[in-house]
Structures are given as C-alpha cells and as structure tokens.
C-alpha cells in the first residue's frame, strides 16, 4: 500500500528546481559578518528589508494598535473570536485605498470585490481552482517566477504553457509569441483558460507597456479567456516608466467606449503586502475581481488560507494612516532606486550587464552569457554552481525561471545590508577577473554552434514543458 497520496508525492511542486536548491545550500552555510564571514550571501530571495525602520517607527508611535487596544481598551477577545471569512471591513477598505494610492489614485477599487488570502501564493492558487479544471492550461510569459509551478499547477492539476519571450526585445510579450503558445497548447490537447502575467515582472524587474497590456486584453477578448495580472510588485517601481495596472487600461478603454463588460469580468488582479510593505511573514494577499461569481467562489475557498484577525486589525490601522502610507511609498522607492544603482554599478565593475529596462522589483535580470563556457543550459548550471560554491553567492539561474536563453540570472538586492551587497560585488568581480583566463570567454560563446543551440533548447524543453499530467502518469507507474 502506498503510504502517501499521489498528490503529496508528485513532483510538479518544483522543489527540485535550482531556485529552491540554492536556498537550501544557503541555509547550510549562511553568511554572517561576524559568525561566518566566508558563508554564502543570499541573493536569491526577493525580500525588501530596506524600509523596516519606517514600519517600526509607526508601531512605536501607535502602541495601542500593536497591543490590540482600541481607544485604550483591549479588543483581544474580539480579535481572538473574529472568524468571518469575508475579512474585516476596515482592513479591506484600507487595503483597496492603499492599492489605489500605489496607482496614483487614477483608479479606485471597491472593497466588495476583494477577497483576502494568505499571501499571493494562495490568491494565485485560488484563482486556478476557480477558473480552470484539472488538465486545462494557463499561458505564462517566460521567464517567470519559479514558485508558479507550485502555486498554479501542483494541487490544482492545471498546466502551464510558456509564452516564449526573448532578449531580442527585452523579453516583451509579442502577438506572435502569444499565438504560438496558444497553438502549442492546442497541439498538446490542452484547453487554454487564460493568460497569467506578473506586472511588474518577476524575474525581469520591468513594468509592462500600455501596448503590451492592450495586446493581452485584445487576445483574451478574442479567445474568450481570463487574464490574471499578479501585481505584487506594483508599489515596488523605483524609476520611470511608471507602473500601469491592467485596471487602468480597462478604464481607458471604457472611457473610449471600446469596452466590453464581459472582458472586465474576466480580468483579475492578485496583490499582496509581501513585497511593497516587506511583510511576507504576515501572509497578507488578495484577489480583486469585478466578477461576482469569482468573488463568491474565491471567498468560500479563502477558508483554507485566511489572514489572521490580529494582522488585519494591525494593518487596517497602519494602511488607514494616509500620511504614513504616502511617505512610506515614496521613501521606499528612493531607497530601492539607490540600492538597485549600487548593484548595477557593482556588476558593471565586474564587466557584467543587466536588462537596461529594469525599473521595478527587488532584483535585476543579469546577463552572464559572456561567462558561459558554451551556449547551453548545462553551462549555465556549471556557472551557477561555481558562483554558489566558490564565490558563495546564491543567485537564481534563468532555467529555474523557464528562460529560453542560457546565461541569464536573477540577482536580488534588497534583502541585505549595503556592506553585504558591496562584499558580494567584490567577490563577483574577483571571480570574473580570475575566471577570465579559463574557458569562459565571449569568443568561445560566439563559436558556439547551431548544434549546441538546438541541444540546449531540447534539454530545456524537457524542463520547461514538463506537464503535471505527465508527472501524475510517472507517479502512477512508480
Ligand atoms: C510574482 C509573485 N507572485 C507571488 C509571490 C508569492 O508571494 P506571497 O509571499 O504573498 O505569497 C511572489 C513571491 O516572490 C512573486 O514574486
């Protein structure tokens, strides 16, 4: 008798990805300036630790809130008993106002259309459960956040079909890439239920242009599908161009009478306070949808991942303080900009460049193609291991984000101190200087043959196109 269920043991979770393996290696040997100065520096974790002092000073000025008091009186019992899965109305109002503030108040959100979830992880999975059957598919532009394999596919049995984006246009989505992904799904006999994008993008650290967003809306309108826009980094945009939410595009089209109520009911936003407020441990996420049926179904499902009532109480007071949120958003952006500048300069000094369009997120999409021994994913893995074990930096290889071109890495900059970032850059510079005489030269890359290109694509496609149905099948055979 099998001890565990097929679901519990199937490997579509993605835990064996280098993205998670890097974290494990870091945990075994974490850098500490005093205790372990030769340890691994964690640059594979998209955390924002730059503005904790702002949150802490607000807490210090508002001791009643953290002490679960209202007007000096304890509300501990009220909070301990509160269990309505619709969430605290005051928190939902404060959250939608914060979302509007991030978008320059160009649009407003109705608190009746929001569903609270335990982080964006839960929000994305809930939407999959609401919108697709097991074996149906969503199209996702590559490279994408490695956690999506777990969040979208693992428990739901939904499939991901990649929309192949390339460096030739800074990884922007094109109409032909969308059509191609749709064709690819058809060939695999998969019914496509929608497109899911992250805007700003993880791992690219870029915002989507209006034309990309319009393209997506036209596509889902034409194909009668859903569009999920994961806007978890919407307040983490530190330089121009500004962030444009898909909701703004819908409003613009509505104003121009180029509007279809059906379409806006098929567009859903995912949000969370894990990045913009730097609170991933609080597990606060949300789905915003104008579709009443989706809101009702997702609310029922949210029972499996609610936000605790003391967290809702604390954050309704914090986000309800408009002076605080306005200052936080702008100060946090300034700090992120400075930090990203430090990383870009440090990389430049090591002869490494990154995506020029990087204006958002907690990371840069870094081009290390000139450090590869050949233009293959094997060479990317080899380089990643050297950087992890010799240079002692954990960065995330493009393959873990399903990138189609070897040699790109996601490097985070906001989860450490400035000194640690400088040390990381020094380590990398020394590595590149010492490594130059070795096999990794751009000359060698230019020599890379067409054959190695097609080999790398083939080996990648095993990884990229692995379907959870196939995993299930393999599991059954075991
Ligand atoms: C694009 C994206 N979506 C969702 C998540 C999960 O966020 P949460 O901590 O709110 O579950 C992340 C976290 O890195 C992310 O980058």
């Amino acid at each position: 008798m099998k001890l565990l269920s097929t679901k519990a043991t199937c490997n579509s979770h993605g835990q064996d990805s280098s993205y998670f393996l890097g974290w494990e290696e870091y945990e075994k040997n974490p850098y500490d300036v005093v205790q372990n100065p030769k340890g691994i520096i964690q640059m594979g974790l998209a955390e924002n630790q730059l503005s904790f002092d702002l949150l802490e000073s607000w807490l210090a000025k508002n001791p009643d809130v953290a002490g679960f008091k209202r007007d000096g009186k304890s509300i501990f019992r009220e909070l301990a008993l509160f269990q309505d899965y619709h969430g605290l109305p005051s928190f939902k109002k404060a959250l939608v106002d914060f979302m509007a503030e991030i978008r320059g108040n160009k649009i407003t959100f109705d608190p009746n259309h929001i569903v609270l979830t335990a982080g964006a992880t839960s929000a994305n999975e809930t939407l999959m459960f609401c919108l697709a059957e097991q074996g149906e598919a969503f199209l996702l532009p590559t490279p994408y956040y490695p956690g999506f394999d777990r969040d979208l596919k693992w428990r739901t049995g939904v499939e991901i079909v990649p929309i192949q984006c390339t460096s030739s246009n800074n990884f922007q989505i094109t109409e032909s890439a969308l059509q191609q992904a749709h064709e690819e799904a058809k060939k695999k006999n998969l019914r496509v239920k929608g497109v899911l994008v992250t805007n700003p993008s993880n791992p690219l650290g870029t915002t989507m242009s209006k034309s990309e967003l319009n393209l997506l809306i036209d596509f889902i309108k034409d194909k009668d599908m859903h569009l999920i826009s994961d806007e978890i980094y919407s307040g983490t945009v530190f330089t121009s161009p500004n962030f444009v939410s898909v909701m703004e595009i819908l409003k613009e089209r509505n104003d121009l009478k180029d509007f279809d109520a059906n379409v806006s009911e098929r567009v859903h936003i995912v949000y969370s306070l894990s990045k913009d407020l730097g609170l991933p441990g609080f597990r606060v996420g949300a789905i915003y949808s104008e579709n009443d049926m989706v809101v009702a179904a997702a609310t029922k499902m949210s029972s499996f991942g609610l936000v605790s009532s003391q967290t809702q109480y604390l954050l309704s007071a914090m986000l309800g303080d408009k002076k605080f949120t306005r200052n936080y958003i702008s100060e946090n952006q300034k700090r992120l900009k400075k930090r990203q500048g430090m990383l870009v300069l440090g990389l430049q000094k090591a002869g490494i460049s990154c995506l020029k369009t990087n204006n958002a997120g907690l990371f840069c999409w870094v081009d290390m193609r000139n450090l590869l021994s050949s233009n293959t994913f094997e060479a990317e893995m080899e380089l990643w291991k050297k950087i992890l074990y010799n240079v002692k930096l954990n960065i995330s290889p493009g393959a873990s984000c399903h990138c189609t071109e070897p040699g790109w890495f996601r490097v985070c900059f906001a989860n450490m101190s400035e000194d640690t970032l400088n040390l990381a850059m020094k380590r990398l510079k020394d590595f590149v200087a010492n490594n130059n005489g070795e096999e990794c030269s751009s000359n060698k890359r230019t020599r890379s043959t067409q054959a190695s290109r097609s080999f790398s694509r083939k080996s990648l496609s095993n990884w990229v196109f692995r379907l959870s149905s196939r995993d299930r099948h393999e599991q059954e055979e075991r």
Side-chain angles (χ1 to χ4, degrees):
M1 190 187 74
K2 268 200 321 176
L3 204 56
L4 293 183
S5 69
T6 309
K7 184 104 301 183
T9 49
C10 82
N11 59 12
S12 64
H13 179 281
Q15 201 175 0
D16 55 353
S17 147
S18 47
Y19 177 74
F20 293 115
L21 292 182
W23 289 7
E24 277 176 31
E25 289 308 306
Y26 164 77
E27 291 298 337
K28 288 181 206 160
N29 182 19
Y31 167 79
D32 181 272
V33 64
V34 181
Q35 310 285 340
N36 191 18
K38 297 215 164 108
I40 297 174
I41 297 175
Q42 174 61 295
M43 304 188 92
L45 186 59
E47 259 180 9
N48 179 8
Q49 297 184 13
L50 304 188
S51 299
F52 269 148
D53 59 314
L54 303 179
L55 302 178
E56 282 162 350
S57 98
W58 186 90
L59 287 174
K61 283 189 207 137
N62 295 274
D64 261 19
V65 180
F68 306 125
K69 288 184 186 157
R70 187 189 296 128
D71 304 325
K73 288 205 187 100
S74 172
I75 54 157
F76 171 77
R77 291 179 183 202
E78 190 184 311
L79 292 176
L81 292 174
F82 177 78
Q83 54 176 283
D84 181 355
Y85 63 21
H86 290 97
L88 278 181
S90 60
F91 176 57
K92 294 210 293 192
K93 173 78 174 75
L95 185 62
V96 292
D97 286 352
F98 184 63
M99 289 167 67
E101 175 91 46
I102 283 170
R103 289 156 184 79
N105 290 311
K106 287 188 200 136
I107 37 173
T108 52
F109 295 93
D110 178 348
N112 294 316
H113 290 171
I114 202 153
V115 181
L116 300 179
T117 58
T121 302
S122 174
N124 279 314
E125 190 193 54
T126 301
L127 277 175
M128 287 301 116
F129 274 121
C130 290
L131 307 179
E133 305 290 349
Q134 180 169 328
E136 292 182 333
F138 263 75
L139 308 181
L140 264 72
T142 62
Y144 64 77
Y145 163 55
F148 280 150
D149 292 317
R150 173 198 60 203
D151 305 350
L152 309 182
K153 287 166 53 172
W154 184 37
R155 302 197 298 184
T156 63
V158 169
E159 309 290 1
I160 293 177
V161 176
I163 303 165
Q164 312 279 8
C165 301
T166 66
S167 59
S168 61
N169 67 348
N170 294 321
F171 298 94
Q172 287 195 8
I173 302 171
T174 61
E175 192 176 349
S176 69
L178 273 171
Q179 295 293 0
Q180 230 176 309
H182 196 246
E183 287 303 314
E184 198 62 46
K186 269 208 254 169
K187 273 192 226 152
K188 292 185 161 74
N189 261 335
L190 294 171
R191 182 154 176 243
V192 181
K193 290 307 289 285
V195 181
L196 185 148
V197 295
T198 64
N199 180 29
S201 160
N202 177 8
L204 298 174
T206 54
T207 47
M208 275 187 176
S209 64
K210 282 192 175 184
S211 63
E212 268 179 293
L213 291 165
N214 273 308
L215 175 69
L216 286 168
I217 292 174
D218 290 339
F219 183 76
I220 63 132
K221 185 173 167 184
D222 180 46
K223 300 268 192 286
D224 217 10
M225 288 178 187
H226 294 274
L227 173 61
I228 300 175
S229 179
D230 180 335
E231 300 187 353
I232 189 170
Y233 294 98
S234 47
T236 305
V237 182
F238 44 80
T239 189
S240 61
N242 287 340
F243 166 68
V244 180
S245 168
V246 69
M247 282 293 162
E248 279 177 58
I249 302 292
L250 287 177
K251 184 173 178 294
E252 267 181 26
R253 289 170 77 132
N254 185 20
D255 293 347
L256 292 169
K257 308 276 176 267
D258 175 17
F259 185 64
D260 180 344
N262 269 331
V263 174
S264 62
E265 288 193 351
R266 296 202 307 268
V267 177
H268 321 282
I269 289 189
V270 165
Y271 188 55
S272 153
L273 296 178
S274 296
K275 313 296 175 183
D276 292 350
L277 221 54
L279 299 175
F282 277 28
R283 310 307 305 139
V284 184
I287 295 166
Y288 187 86
S289 175
E290 312 246 302
N291 186 319
D292 289 337
M293 283 192 330
V294 171
V295 171
T299 303
K300 278 195 277 175
M301 287 186 190
S302 71
S303 292
F304 297 104
L306 294 173
V307 183
S308 74
S309 31
Q310 77 265 35
T311 299
Q312 291 189 48
Y313 175 67
L314 171 68
L315 293 175
S316 62
M318 188 183 269
L319 297 184
D321 182 343
K322 295 278 161 27
K323 199 168 152 218
F324 166 76
T325 52
R326 224 165 283 146
N327 178 54
Y328 178 91
I329 292 168
S330 74
E331 181 58 31
N332 183 47
Q333 283 172 350
K334 273 188 220 147
R335 295 179 188 191
L336 288 167
K337 185 173 181 191
K338 181 175 173 221
R339 204 40 101 71
Q340 185 260 8
M342 281 177 66
L343 176 65
V344 173
L345 191 67
L347 290 168
Q348 246 170 32
K349 285 185 185 160
I352 299 170
S353 61
C354 40
L355 205 62
K356 300 278 175 295
T357 41
N358 178 212
N359 66 333
L362 304 167
F363 31 73
C364 289
W365 187 238
V366 177
D367 181 359
M368 297 203 193
R369 287 177 294 179
N370 61 337
L371 295 177
L372 295 184
S373 58
S374 65
N375 187 31
T376 63
F377 283 98
E378 286 71 18
E380 178 182 286
M381 187 51 62
E382 195 185 300
L383 178 62
W384 175 67
K385 284 186 182 159
K386 277 191 198 166
I387 295 176
L388 180 63
Y389 296 112
N390 304 347
V391 190
K392 303 264 173 51
L393 304 178
N394 177 41
I395 60 178
S396 308
S400 69
C401 304
H402 303 258
C403 185
T404 50
E405 294 173 18
W408 293 89
F409 289 81
R410 191 193 75 167
V411 181
C412 297
F413 55 74
N415 61 322
M416 68 199 79
S417 70
E418 287 191 2
D419 287 348
T420 309
L421 181 59
N422 285 331
L423 174 65
M425 291 301 98
K426 184 180 177 313
R427 286 184 186 179
L428 198 59
K429 188 167 176 254
D430 292 348
F431 166 71
V432 176
N434 295 333
N435 212 34
N436 245 356
E438 284 185 34
E439 48 188 337
C440 61
S441 73
S442 47
N443 298 345
K444 186 144 187 183
R445 211 186 104 232
T446 354
R447 270 190 271 124
S448 89
T449 59
Q450 206 56 37
S452 85
R453 252 174 221 276
S454 71
F455 170 72
S456 70
R457 246 172 215 283
K458 228 161 82 193
S459 57
L460 171 79
S461 55
N462 284 336
W463 166 250
V464 168
F465 296 115
R466 195 167 54 183
L467 299 175
S468 30
S469 56
R470 190 181 303 161
D471 294 338
R472 278 198 300 278
H473 185 60
E474 281 167 6
Q475 194 62 35
E476 276 155 19
E477 283 179 344
R478 241 176 256 152

